[in-house]
């Protein structure tokens, strides 16, 4: 049986600053406040957890990818909230997407993405 819900946890150095970036940047809802950890709701069954812990100095295998309708607008909003822009929004023909790349305050890599094909979630079988 497949998992029906998922939490992605990030260790952050400033809980309020990170909550501001992710909650305001992606319109996420605070669902649970455990003092040193917060749980934000992203969509049905998908959550983002933020914990006040020393963040890793390098996270080469971690990429948070958020699917949005307007990559340019969302990228600009995140930059306004303090994220660092790595790659401007652009079309990627190979994958059929428009995307941009940023880093949050702790260096976690974020991709903002929109699929060209509106049927991208349809099962292939």
């Amino acid at each position: 049986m497949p998992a029906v819900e998922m939490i992605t946890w990030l260790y952050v150095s400033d809980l309020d600053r990170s909550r501001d970036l992710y909650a305001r940047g992606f319109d996420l809802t605070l669902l649970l406040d455990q003092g040193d950890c917060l749980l934000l709701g992203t969509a049905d069954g998908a959550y983002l957890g933020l914990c006040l812990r020393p963040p890793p100095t390098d996270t080469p295998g971690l990429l948070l990818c958020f699917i949005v309708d307007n990559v340019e607008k969302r990228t600009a909003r995140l930059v306004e909230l303090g994220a660092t822009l790595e790659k401007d929004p652009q079309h990627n023909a190979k994958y059929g997407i428009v995307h941009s790349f940023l880093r949050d305050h702790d260096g976690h890599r974020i991709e903002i993405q929109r699929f060209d094909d509106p049927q991208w979630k349809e099962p292939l079988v």
Side-chain angles (χ1 to χ4, degrees):
M1 181 173 165
V4 294
E5 297 182 296
M6 181 183 130
I7 302 173
T8 299
W9 290 99
L10 295 180
Y11 290 172
V12 300
S13 60
D14 184 319
L15 200 55
D16 290 331
R17 180 179 65 183
S18 294
R19 177 182 65 195
D20 190 49
L21 177 74
Y22 287 101
R24 289 182 53 208
F26 292 103
D27 301 317
L28 305 183
T29 302
L30 178 62
L31 300 174
L32 183 62
D33 184 342
Q34 298 174 313
D36 64 344
C37 290
L38 304 173
L39 190 62
L40 305 172
T42 63
D44 290 338
Y47 309 96
L48 179 65
L50 305 171
C51 279
L52 186 59
R53 307 272 192 282
T57 57
D58 190 17
T59 57
L62 175 70
L63 174 63
L64 298 172
C65 182
F66 290 88
I67 310 301
V68 301
D69 291 330
N70 189 320
V71 173
E72 294 81 2
K73 183 177 177 181
R74 190 68 62 161
T75 299
R77 184 175 188 182
L78 289 169
V79 169
E80 288 174 9
L81 292 168
T84 302
L85 181 65
E86 283 192 336
K87 187 175 184 181
D88 286 319
Q90 64 183 20
H91 187 258
N92 182 318
K94 178 178 179 180
Y95 295 108
I97 59 173
V98 173
H99 64 154
S100 66
F101 291 94
L102 305 102
R103 295 267 178 179
D104 73 6
H105 303 99
D106 291 301
H108 299 110
R109 196 161 193 223
I110 303 168
E111 180 181 18
I112 310 300
Q113 177 177 307
R114 178 184 52 77
F115 286 94
D116 292 339
D117 181 0
Q119 303 298 318
W120 70 272
K121 288 192 263 185
E122 297 299 319
L124 296 176
V125 288

